[in-house]
Amino acid sequence: MTKVQSGDGMLLSDLHEMRIIDGKTALITIYETGPYDLEAYGFDPGNGWVIDGVFQEVDITTGEVLFEWKSLDYVPLSATLAPLRLDAVVGDGLTNGSAWDYFHINSVDKNHEGDYLVSARHTSSIYKISGMDGSIIWQLGGTQSSFELTNYNFSYQHHARFREGNETTTILSFFDNGSNQHQNTSSTSSGMVISIDDSTNTSTLIRQYFAPGDGLLSITQGNVQILPNKNVVIGWGSKPSISEHTEDGTAIFFATLASPDAQNYRAFKSNWTANPSDPPALRSYSASTNSATTFWISWNGATDVDWWRIYATSPESDEFMPLDVICSQGFETAYASSSYHPQSFAEAIAADGSSLANSSVVDTSSSLRERLGV
């Protein structure tokens, strides 16, 4: 296990981003609070406080900061769509604890060319940042968009990601909240995939994903995950729901957490494989030494078991002989032999025929109490 933290004297990194790049570096966000001249906003000189939206790329092994970017160096306060005193999150700029969060960085990505993609909720903008000098290559959305949004709009977005691109075209995905509770640009939130054409300075909506039914309006959080099969998983942020869609937008899965107060900042789907540290469990039962034997096998947490091979002794011999190979039936697999077997163990077998683990050797019991746990 490796611990990654902010460097160069910055405050601790915050929860908004932890993006691993090629298994070697980590992109992290930092909300750096400090004094700032807000005289233009009616403050006495020297009395204002502002939050700087910062990200760093950190070497996972050494902790060295390889790149650092600060919003206040490139994005003016006038770009914000979250005016002072809008709410408690935005702040009033009067103290360190209520500093003006004018930018609100919430995601960072990096492409193969070494440039970065930054999402800023409070400017309703997505920025492409030069990995050479930190300059803003372009801005999508907000008050100074570099591109015309030809068939869509978005605001207060989350989880912007590079998808693909070439010399003239860039494909992005992001979660369009469409609202910050105070202002709406849409009646529902959605996942978006858009294309940017540098040659015409235009951007076009390619695909859009809505929650089933009347949709959901999520005022905070949210994400878009594109799976290898091109299905799309949407985490609905402040609305505690998760959905999966085919590429054309058809919802094939939708679930909501039971608690209405729950939220999910981001939701992801992935293959889960596990090989537990504990061995498989086996119980065997026979009413008498003249009766059939029943076996129950389980291995809680194991994902790769396709078959079970049971080995057992007989009244005539203490040698363990294979009885049968049976298909895994899920959490617990049951098997019955017409003969009595004093001792046994089970072997977990993967789909390719490889052996995963053996259970302990167990004695056959004439009581079901041990299996039932009473």
Side-chain angles (χ1 to χ4, degrees):
M1 183 178 71
T2 302
K3 180 179 179 180
V4 178
Q5 62 185 35
S6 54
D8 290 350
M10 289 278 105
L11 293 177
L12 293 176
S13 58
D14 87 312
L15 59 83
H16 285 86
E17 186 64 90
M18 176 62 169
R19 174 74 161 149
I20 305 300
I21 304 298
D22 297 330
K24 299 178 180 179
T25 65
L27 297 174
I28 57 176
T29 52
I30 303 161
Y31 281 54
E32 185 79 5
T33 302
Y36 201 84
D37 182 7
L38 294 179
E39 189 174 358
Y41 296 88
F43 284 63
D44 292 334
N47 285 343
W49 291 82
V50 170
I51 297 176
D52 199 354
V54 182
F55 79 83
Q56 292 180 340
E57 183 171 8
V58 180
D59 186 291
I60 293 174
T61 302
T62 67
E64 179 186 0
V65 176
L66 305 177
F67 189 88
E68 180 179 280
W69 187 87
K70 299 181 178 182
S71 65
L72 284 171
D73 291 340
Y74 300 96
V75 181
L77 300 180
S78 59
T80 192
L81 297 177
L84 279 161
R85 308 176 190 88
L86 179 67
D87 56 30
V89 173
V90 173
D92 58 18
L94 293 173
T95 68
N96 181 48
S98 64
W100 185 11
D101 185 7
Y102 90 105
F103 192 73
H104 199 88
I105 187 172
N106 61 28
S107 74
V108 187
D109 195 15
K110 186 179 184 181
N111 64 15
H112 295 299
E113 288 71 42
D115 297 321
Y116 301 91
L117 193 70
V118 170
S119 170
R121 171 175 168 82
H122 288 172
T123 65
S124 287
S125 298
I126 298 169
Y127 303 87
K128 183 178 181 181
I129 307 298
S130 168
M132 296 293 293
D133 59 14
S135 61
I136 296 175
I137 299 173
W138 51 247
Q139 172 183 337
L140 178 68
T143 59
Q144 298 291 327
S145 181
S146 306
F147 309 101
E148 178 187 358
L149 281 60
T150 59
N151 61 345
Y152 74 106
N153 58 42
F154 70 92
S155 62
Y156 311 108
Q157 75 293 328
H158 284 76
H159 197 234
R161 289 291 187 255
F162 287 117
R163 293 301 170 187
E164 56 184 284
N166 53 40
E167 292 181 356
T168 60
T169 304
T170 303
I171 308 296
L172 307 179
S173 67
F174 57 87
F175 182 80
D176 172 32
N177 294 84
S179 175
N180 67 347
Q181 191 173 12
H182 307 284
Q183 296 177 322
N184 294 355
T185 56
S186 177
S187 60
T188 60
S189 303
S190 64
M192 289 187 171
V193 179
I194 64 102
S195 175
I196 293 174
D197 189 334
D198 289 313
S199 65
T200 61
N201 293 327
T202 60
S203 66
T204 304
L205 179 68
I206 301 174
R207 291 184 294 277
Q208 192 168 15
Y209 301 91
F210 297 97
D214 295 330
L216 294 171
L217 185 63
S218 178
I219 60 173
T220 65
Q221 308 162 83
N223 73 293
V224 176
Q225 178 194 18
I226 301 179
L227 301 175
N229 67 356
K230 297 186 179 180
N231 281 9
V232 175
V233 173
I234 307 291
W236 294 94
S238 60
K239 301 295 185 182
S241 299
I242 303 164
S243 62
E244 182 176 351
H245 309 254
T246 56
E247 187 179 18
D248 67 3
T250 303
I252 57 174
F253 174 85
F254 183 77
T256 300
L257 301 176
S259 172
D261 297 324
Q263 303 178 34
N264 56 300
Y265 183 67
R266 292 176 185 171
F268 298 97
K269 180 181 181 180
S270 62
N271 291 326
W272 173 261
T273 57
N275 194 348
S277 56
D278 293 333
L282 172 66
R283 296 291 181 269
S284 60
Y285 162 78
S286 182
S288 71
T289 58
N290 296 316
S291 301
T293 307
T294 303
F295 304 86
W296 295 275
I297 320 163
S298 63
W299 197 13
N300 190 17
T303 59
D304 294 334
V305 181
D306 275 48
W307 304 89
W308 292 100
R309 180 179 285 118
I310 298 176
Y311 298 83
T313 62
S314 67
E316 295 78 23
S317 173
D318 293 336
E319 183 180 358
F320 286 92
M321 299 295 292
L323 290 185
D324 206 346
V325 177
I326 51 177
C327 182
S328 174
Q329 298 162 13
F331 175 75
E332 183 177 79
T333 298
Y335 174 77
S337 169
S338 60
S339 302
Y340 173 70
H341 300 281
Q343 290 187 310
S344 57
F345 71 89
E347 178 187 18
I349 303 173
D352 62 3
S354 61
S355 177
L356 299 174
N358 290 345
S359 74
S360 300
V361 173
V362 301
D363 296 326
T364 296
S365 173
S366 61
S367 170
L368 288 175
R369 295 183 60 186
E370 183 180 5
R371 176 176 180 262
L372 297 176
V374 295

